[in-house]
Amino acid sequence: MGFTPNEGLLMRTRSGDVDPGLLAWLQKQEGWSPEDTDKLLNQESGWRGLSGGVDNMAELFASDHPQCHLAFDLFRYRFQKTLGAYFAILGGLDGIVLSGGVAELNPALCQELLLGLSHLGVELHAESANSNLPISLSSMTSKVQCWVVASDEAAMMLHAVQQQFSNEFSNQPVAD
């Protein structure tokens, strides 16, 4: 995310990156106010807007409806475009970790997101029958290891606070 949460990938209700000229064009063409445009970009776009109302990524992925295919294809395109940008900036990738509700509940969807990335060093193995996280998606010979892992933001925040307090108290002089 950048200045707003709308920058970056296409999300459930957010458009992700759009050409800035589109905003001016929409406001002129449709007679929208800045508030109308903001509402559209943040609450009525994303895969929900493209698909015609499907909120759940697993449902979107499994659907045969052409609008759902369009929404998933755009999400996959933006995902792969972002990976390619990071590959260029970092000079390569060591690993790709997919997490959160979209990934954790649907390893097959994760496989689909990573298809066609052999030029980045991603080699996938056949879909795993294992449903226990973490799940490896990449082959043993893949230059880039790919995983689906469980996210636990609360545990990470607790760990960060514990580290901070531990560091602060370890620097305190001991009273006699």
Side-chain angles (χ1 to χ4, degrees):
M1 294 184 197
F3 178 69
T4 70
N6 213 0
E7 183 190 23
L9 288 176
L10 174 82
M11 295 179 238
R12 185 176 63 84
T13 62
R14 294 186 177 119
S15 68
D17 293 337
V18 295
D19 181 336
L22 175 64
L23 306 178
W25 183 85
L26 281 171
Q27 288 177 338
K28 289 176 191 170
Q29 187 74 19
E30 301 297 323
W32 291 348
S33 69
E35 292 78 16
D36 294 334
T37 307
D38 185 64
K39 182 179 179 191
L40 175 81
L41 293 174
N42 286 290
Q43 298 174 16
E44 299 171 5
S45 293
W47 70 67
R48 183 203 297 166
L50 288 167
S51 69
V54 177
D55 276 329
N56 182 293
M57 177 56 83
E59 206 177 299
L60 183 81
F61 178 64
S63 176
D64 288 332
H65 195 278
Q67 281 181 264
C68 290
H69 282 274
L70 172 67
F72 182 80
D73 288 346
L74 184 57
F75 179 77
R76 182 173 175 258
Y77 168 80
R78 294 278 183 84
F79 172 82
Q80 290 189 354
K81 182 178 176 182
T82 301
L83 275 179
Y86 281 118
F87 183 91
I89 291 166
L90 298 171
L93 297 171
D94 295 321
I96 299 169
V97 177
L98 302 167
S99 191
V102 169
E104 293 172 30
L105 302 175
N106 203 332
L109 183 147
C110 296
Q111 290 270 75
E112 185 68 28
L113 289 175
L114 296 167
L115 279 178
L117 295 176
S118 59
H119 58 288
L120 298 182
V122 174
E123 243 182 77
L124 301 175
H125 60 65
E127 190 175 326
S128 174
N130 176 19
S131 62
N132 298 327
L133 299 178
I135 298 171
S136 172
L137 301 173
S138 49
S139 70
M140 297 290 282
T141 58
S142 182
K143 293 177 186 170
V144 176
Q145 293 300 302
C146 304
W147 292 88
V148 178
V149 301
S151 62
D152 190 346
E153 291 91 357
M156 294 301 295
M157 288 186 280
L158 178 61
H159 178 73
V161 169
Q162 287 172 331
Q163 286 294 113
Q164 181 65 36
F165 278 111
S166 173
N167 292 339
E168 283 184 33
F169 289 119
S170 66
N171 295 327
Q172 298 290 327
V174 178
D176 289 329

